[in-house]
Amino acid sequence: MRKNIVAGNWKMNLDYNEGLSLFSEVLNMVKDEATGAQEVVVCSPFIHLHSLAQLAKGNGRVSIGAQNAHQAESGAYTGEVSAKQIKSVGATYVILGHSERRQYFGETNQLLAQKTDTALANGLKPIFCIGETLQEREAGQHFNIIKTQLEEGVYHLDADKFAQLVLAYEPVWAIGTGVTATSEQAQEIHAFIRQELAAKYGQQVADDTTILYGGSCNAKNAPELFAQPDIDGGLIGGASLKSRDFTDIVKAFN
Ligand code: 13P
């Protein structure tokens, strides 16, 4: 059965000490809780990864992830960080295909397919993001866009490899805007994604895939979103930068 997960995406926020303090607070707050998300993932900037992984050691519920990884194994790519390097400091997840990477760094579905392969080959679990822009939604293109992102980004994987992925539906118009998709809008897309996965990989794989919602998710709207049958947790931006807000979202599962 699929796991429910709440993942924080710190984006390019927090200096080293700020990151460590926030993470220590989060660890303290989630450690004794029997309720809430089964897994908590914190996706920090590269500079924090090693220290966070050390702090999380021995905590079976909390994992660490990066926010990007290069598609090559290694080599002359000044300023880039490889999947192998990320894995070597104790991180186990990597966000791939975030709309900010697609928009500001020109990441295409084809490039993301390569990044996915390299991440998996190095033992990292991708949190693979998909989602439509406002313009695409208004043009009624959202289902097509999502289908294409899946087809071109991850459908080259066989079922065993695909089973390592977590998917995240993040409508671009809901990211950082304070406008959340309604639980009906989010559920409609999540159900569509699961139906697409069933057609491609079979019902079992579809049922076992964790699909997160991201975009202005907060402690207030999380309970209703997470109560939807096909929403298995959240990928949290702004609200992951405050320990209380983030852990309240973690506890939004009951
Ligand atoms: P916000 O929660 O700040 O809208 O960001 C969502 C996001 O992009 C998570 O990856």
Side-chain angles (χ1 to χ4, degrees):
M1 213 28 213
R2 59 185 179 261
K3 238 191 203 174
N4 54 51
I5 298 175
V6 170
N9 174 9
W10 288 358
K11 307 192 179 182
M12 196 173 72
N13 293 298
L14 307 175
D15 70 18
Y16 180 72
N17 289 319
E18 289 166 345
L20 260 56
S21 318
L22 170 61
F23 188 71
S24 302
E25 287 170 24
V26 168
L27 267 185
N28 254 329
M29 288 169 156
V30 302
K31 97 174 159 231
D32 300 324
E33 288 288 334
T35 57
Q38 288 163 292
E39 188 168 2
V40 178
V41 183
V42 171
C43 298
S44 73
F46 294 124
I47 61 156
H48 301 103
L49 289 175
H50 179 256
S51 301
L52 302 195
Q54 292 295 315
L55 288 170
K57 248 188 194 157
N59 185 320
R61 189 181 179 202
V62 179
S63 306
I64 309 302
Q67 300 169 17
N68 179 35
H70 197 266
Q71 64 275 21
E73 283 292 334
S74 64
Y77 301 100
T78 301
E80 292 293 321
V81 176
S82 73
K84 186 175 181 187
Q85 291 170 326
I86 293 165
K87 177 77 179 176
S88 75
V89 295
T92 49
Y93 284 91
V94 60
I95 296 174
L96 292 178
H98 193 281
S99 62
E100 288 151 16
R101 301 288 319 170
R102 293 175 186 264
Q103 186 182 350
Y104 304 135
F105 302 95
E107 296 197 356
T108 61
N109 293 332
Q110 288 70 24
L111 175 73
L112 293 167
Q114 293 175 34
K115 289 192 173 204
T116 301
D117 289 342
T118 310
L120 287 171
N122 286 282
L124 289 178
K125 292 184 248 187
I127 300 175
F128 195 91
C129 303
I130 54 181
E132 80 286 357
T133 63
L134 183 59
Q135 206 182 9
E136 288 160 348
R137 178 164 278 262
E138 284 175 345
Q141 287 299 309
H142 39 302
F143 294 107
N144 283 341
I145 291 290
I146 292 202
K147 193 169 176 183
T148 304
Q149 288 172 336
L150 288 171
E151 281 170 355
E152 297 182 353
V154 297
Y155 276 7
H156 63 288
L157 300 171
D158 64 27
D160 283 350
K161 289 228 170 90
F162 180 84
Q164 315 277 323
L165 301 191
V166 170
L167 296 183
Y169 169 57
E170 298 208 309
V172 181
W173 46 272
I175 295 177
T177 58
V179 182
T180 325
T182 64
S183 50
E184 292 79 15
Q185 283 173 319
Q187 167 58 25
E188 182 185 38
I189 298 284
H190 282 233
F192 171 74
I193 293 168
R194 211 177 296 286
Q195 173 196 315
E196 288 295 312
L197 297 184
K200 168 72 183 169
Y201 291 109
Q203 195 62 48
Q204 190 63 52
V205 171
D207 285 342
D208 288 348
T209 301
T210 297
I211 310 176
L212 308 179
Y213 168 79
S216 298
C217 185
N218 57 40
K220 226 172 149 189
N221 57 35
E224 189 183 329
L225 285 160
F226 296 173
Q228 302 302 312
D230 289 298
I231 300 180
D232 310 310
L235 181 54
I236 317 301
S240 73
L241 298 172
K242 296 208 173 103
S243 54
R244 170 56 63 195
D245 291 357
F246 184 62
T247 52
D248 281 350
I249 297 172
V250 170
K251 291 173 199 164
F253 283 98
N254 48 33

